[in-house]
Amino acid sequence: MALSTTLPIRDSAPNLLQASSTDVDEHCAGLGRWRLSYDQISAGAFRGSFTQLSLPRVEVFREITSQQVRQYGQLGADSFGIGLPWDGDSELSCNGTSARGARVLASIDAEIDMCTPKAFELRGVVASTVLIAELAARLDIELPRAVWYQLRVIETAEAPVARLRAHLTAIQETISTAPERFDDPGARQALEDALLVEIMDMLPTARAHDPGRSSAARRRTVDRARELMHGSGERALSLLEVCKAVGASPRKLGYCFQEVVGTSPMHYWRAMRLNRVRRDLKRAGGAGTAIYDIAVQHGFWHFSQFSLDYKRHFAELPSETLRRARLAA
């Protein structure tokens, strides 16, 4: 099936973005036009890489993160995305639904809220929602509205997914060995057509993964708890206050978090506050900045324990983060 004649093609040269970082915020800043924020959940030094090949009609990406990360935000306006977790045994959470061994993630003009495991790799394709809708109309394909407007784990036919994986593997090998091949307009057109054929072959059979009623209830509990944890109040809530607000015992909330997010509520709650402290230290930089004051603002009352937790989580002391911020300022 040739798709090159269905829509106008901008005959522009490809743009190859390759970035790597040892800081989760710097990694997030290197995601091109994606409007996403990341919080590091697991403890340890962070390493991440992002590769994006921008073709006239589609963008092909590969992302690797070493630590467990919460990703939230949006790919950008008018964005359709298909993502393939590269490790079939990975367990991740998409919009509060846990999925082990997920083969396909779909994001269509959607808000994204995803928790990824350690050593996670995601490859995929991003295109214009308008492009996908126009192709569907011309090819007489009914798009699955049930998977619209929210990041979803989807179940679909296996054959086009396998072929899309093969294309993405070949693209990464070419980026590593002979990226100049993408300079040829004919090669770009053939590549885009091949990717779009597989995507359009997947969509008619796509349906949202059904987590079951009990899982949906646990997801609602976790969603409410995280909403409270992420609240923008002047004082950080305690875990006891969160349990009271959602009407769940610490044990029950622990079961819910372990299934939906892959970690305990205490660890998640501490990780979110440590990320906020780190960002405040990066923004501070002034000579009068007191680390203790920032730590207390985010609920850390025991300073020596806070310093140990911070170093364990980010592989550096809070004073080192502040020192770099002052040098940058």
Side-chain angles (χ1 to χ4, degrees), residues 10-321:
R10 294 176 288 105
D11 187 16
S12 56
N15 178 36
L16 181 60
L17 168 67
Q18 297 186 86
S20 60
S21 177
T22 57
D23 178 273
V24 70
D25 292 326
E26 291 176 5
H27 173 81
C28 193
L31 297 179
R33 68 181 184 89
W34 295 6
R35 300 197 301 269
L36 296 176
S37 299
Y38 284 21
D39 287 322
Q40 180 179 331
I41 298 177
S42 61
F46 177 85
R47 295 180 304 280
S49 65
F50 183 74
T51 302
Q52 180 175 277
L53 176 67
S54 297
L55 300 168
R57 295 177 296 173
V58 302
E59 295 171 343
V60 182
F61 70 88
R62 178 194 191 193
E63 182 183 28
I64 300 174
T65 47
S66 63
Q67 298 296 339
Q68 186 183 18
V69 171
R70 177 187 175 227
Q71 307 178 12
Y72 52 100
Q74 195 176 39
L75 290 182
D78 182 35
S79 290
F80 165 87
I82 287 287
L84 305 181
W86 220 244
D87 179 0
D89 294 329
S90 296
E91 182 168 356
L92 52 89
S93 167
C94 297
N95 293 101
T97 300
S98 178
R100 174 175 291 278
R103 292 186 299 123
V104 184
L105 307 177
S107 170
I108 305 174
D109 278 350
E111 289 294 319
I112 290 174
D113 196 337
M114 178 168 68
C115 290
T116 61
K118 286 186 172 183
F120 184 65
E121 180 174 346
L122 184 68
R123 302 189 193 187
V125 181
V126 177
S128 162
T129 305
V130 172
L131 170 67
I132 299 300
E134 289 193 26
L135 284 173
R138 298 193 182 204
L139 299 174
D140 195 25
I141 292 173
E142 183 176 353
L143 294 175
R145 299 294 171 178
V147 299
W148 228 251
Y149 302 122
Q150 189 180 34
L151 175 70
R152 294 290 187 96
V153 176
I154 63 172
E155 299 172 359
T156 185
E158 294 184 6
V161 176
R163 292 192 297 265
L164 182 58
R165 279 185 170 271
H167 286 310
L168 294 177
T169 298
I171 289 170
Q172 291 302 322
E173 290 175 353
T174 304
I175 288 175
S176 300
T177 59
E180 67 278 0
R181 291 181 185 173
F182 297 121
D183 294 336
D184 179 71
R188 293 199 298 272
Q189 179 177 317
L191 172 57
E192 285 190 318
D193 280 358
L195 294 171
L196 290 169
V197 162
E198 304 310 343
I199 290 171
M200 301 314 295
D201 202 16
M202 290 165 55
L203 288 180
T205 63
R207 65 184 187 276
H209 172 72
D210 183 8
R213 295 179 63 181
S214 60
S215 292
R218 286 189 284 270
R219 181 193 66 200
R220 288 193 295 271
T221 298
V222 171
D223 284 349
R224 176 57 180 151
R226 293 202 301 175
E227 181 182 338
L228 294 167
M229 293 176 178
H230 300 154
S232 56
E234 293 183 0
R235 182 182 65 84
L237 292 177
S238 69
L239 188 58
L240 180 60
E241 289 171 316
V242 172
C243 288
K244 289 179 179 178
V246 301
S249 69
R251 181 185 292 264
K252 178 181 177 180
L253 192 63
Y255 291 147
C256 293
F257 261 78
Q258 199 63 51
E259 176 178 320
V260 174
V261 183
T263 190
S264 71
M266 175 64 77
H267 181 84
Y268 182 88
W269 175 71
R270 183 189 300 115
M272 292 303 101
R273 291 181 296 129
L274 286 171
N275 278 271
R276 292 178 184 180
V277 170
R278 184 173 175 82
R279 293 192 181 109
D280 283 353
L281 291 174
K282 289 178 178 180
R283 286 192 292 262
T289 301
I291 296 175
Y292 179 75
D293 291 342
I294 294 177
V296 169
Q297 181 182 345
H298 293 288
F300 296 100
W301 62 272
H302 193 298
F303 188 70
S304 59
Q305 184 62 50
F306 157 73
S307 296
L308 288 173
D309 289 343
Y310 189 98
K311 184 175 183 180
R312 185 181 302 115
H313 202 80
F314 298 114
E316 68 176 15
L317 290 168
S319 58
E320 295 175 290
T321 304

